[in-house]
């Protein structure tokens, strides 16, 4: 596997099954499902330009995370958002840091140890189950992750089960409607696509915040099926 840098060094990972990936589409929206960024691209998650390009500090403020909450960073990668969430929930709270790649969790666990963070639970997921306890989460955050899910419908169902009744599912996705955002098309999502894919799985979009330079913030809640 190798990393090709494209569009502001956004990593597109190629493997021997690229042809199969190119044919994978969401059955409802027809959206092409993007490949998962491997741990080989972890440096891109920690790049110095990220604050300017994505303004994660503003994104975190928009989530209104409170002390004592139980929250999840799904697709946590090397822990860029995980450590920020851990500070906000404090010692009485908990962060589930979920990733499908063991190597990413190794990087994250090393980071937690170096920073002395003790309120984070690393979780190895599968492509159809985040492995979260039922009715446990006040917030599940996915930062530029949902568009890579190989089985998005099943993941949404499992996430819905893991959320408390008043919990929130939050997606950050690069704006597909904005051609000036220098990210490959399959790594972007539109409001219409998110609505089409989430509503059949028991979610409604409560708010769409466009306060970030490149991304939509979708704040979603459970709907009545």
């Amino acid at each position: 596997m190798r990393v090709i840098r494209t569009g502001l060094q956004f990593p597109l990972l190629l493997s021997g099954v690229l042809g199969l990936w190119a044919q994978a589409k969401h059955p409802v929206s027809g959206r092409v499902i993007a490949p998962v960024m491997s741990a080989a691209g972890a440096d891109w998650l920690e790049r110095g330009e990220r604050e300017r390009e994505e303004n994660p500090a503003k994104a975190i403020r928009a989530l209104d995370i409170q002390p004592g909450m139980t929250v999840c960073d799904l697709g946590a990668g090397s822990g860029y958002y995980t450590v920020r969430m851990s500070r906000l929930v404090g010692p009485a709270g908990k962060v589930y840091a979920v990733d499908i790649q063991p190597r990413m969790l190794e990087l994250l666990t090393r980071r937690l140890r170096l920073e002395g963070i003790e309120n984070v639970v690393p979780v190895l997921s599968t492509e159809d189950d985040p492995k979260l306890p039922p009715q446990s989460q006040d917030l599940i955050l996915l930062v530029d992750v949902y568009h890579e899910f190989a089985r998005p419908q099943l993941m949404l169902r499992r996430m819905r089960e893991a959320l408390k009744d008043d919990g929130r599912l939050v997606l950050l996705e690069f704006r597909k409607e904005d051609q000036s955002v220098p990210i490959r098309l399959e790594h972007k999502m539109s409001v219409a696509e998110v609505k089409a894919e989430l509503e059949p799985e028991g979610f409604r979009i409560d708010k769409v915040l466009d306060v970030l330079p490149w991304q939509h913030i979708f704040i979603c809640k459970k709907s009545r099926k």
Side-chain angles (χ1 to χ4, degrees):
M1 183 174 288
R2 62 195 180 95
V3 179
I4 290 182
R5 301 291 182 179
T6 65
L8 263 86
Q9 298 189 335
F10 187 80
L12 173 63
L13 304 184
L14 298 182
S15 71
V17 295
L18 181 56
L20 293 176
W21 161 75
Q23 297 174 8
K25 294 184 179 180
H26 192 282
V28 175
S29 67
R31 172 184 59 84
V32 173
I33 294 173
V36 174
M37 189 189 77
S38 85
D43 287 349
W44 191 80
L45 300 175
E46 304 291 339
R47 69 195 187 280
E49 301 87 356
R50 189 168 184 180
E51 185 63 46
R52 172 176 53 82
E53 294 169 355
E54 300 182 28
N55 204 336
K58 180 178 281 190
I60 282 285
R61 289 196 297 271
L63 301 181
D64 191 28
I65 296 174
Q66 298 297 317
M69 280 186 170
T70 298
V71 300
C72 172
D73 183 6
L74 206 165
S78 57
Y80 189 86
Y81 270 83
T82 300
V83 296
R84 290 160 173 78
M85 296 167 76
S86 73
R87 296 176 188 130
L88 292 174
V89 300
K94 183 182 293 185
V95 181
Y96 286 84
V98 178
D99 207 279
I100 197 171
Q101 299 182 73
R103 177 56 180 158
M104 283 294 198
L105 290 180
E106 289 173 10
L107 294 173
L108 183 144
T109 301
R110 183 186 306 162
R111 180 178 196 163
L112 298 176
R113 184 170 60 250
L114 289 173
E115 298 192 27
I117 295 172
E118 299 180 349
N119 61 348
V120 173
V121 180
V123 178
L124 181 64
S125 67
T126 64
E127 67 178 17
D128 58 6
D129 190 347
K131 304 293 185 179
L132 294 169
Q135 288 279 318
S136 62
Q137 304 297 309
D138 294 295
L139 170 73
I140 299 177
L141 174 65
L142 293 84
V143 179
D144 306 324
V145 169
Y146 173 80
H147 64 269
E148 296 181 354
F149 283 169
R151 307 186 73 181
Q153 293 162 301
L154 290 176
M155 284 293 279
L156 284 169
R157 292 166 199 169
R158 299 290 85 79
M159 287 189 288
R160 192 177 191 279
E161 292 170 359
L163 278 173
K164 297 177 182 179
D165 289 339
D166 60 349
R168 293 170 292 152
L169 173 66
V170 179
L171 277 60
L172 269 67
E173 290 287 346
F174 292 108
R175 297 192 295 269
K176 185 174 280 188
E177 300 92 338
D178 187 348
Q179 295 183 0
S180 69
V181 175
I183 299 294
R184 290 181 63 97
L185 190 63
E186 65 270 19
H187 293 277
K188 297 180 178 183
M189 289 197 71
S190 68
V191 174
E193 286 172 335
V194 172
K195 182 179 175 67
E197 296 182 21
L198 267 63
E199 285 188 349
E201 305 306 332
F203 288 98
R204 60 180 175 84
I205 299 176
D206 186 54
K207 298 176 184 177
V208 180
L209 304 178
D210 284 327
V211 297
L212 304 181
W214 289 354
Q215 297 149 300
H216 293 302
I217 302 177
F218 297 96
I219 300 177
C220 308
K221 295 183 178 180
K222 291 183 179 181
S223 60
R224 294 182 180 179
K225 287 192 174 182

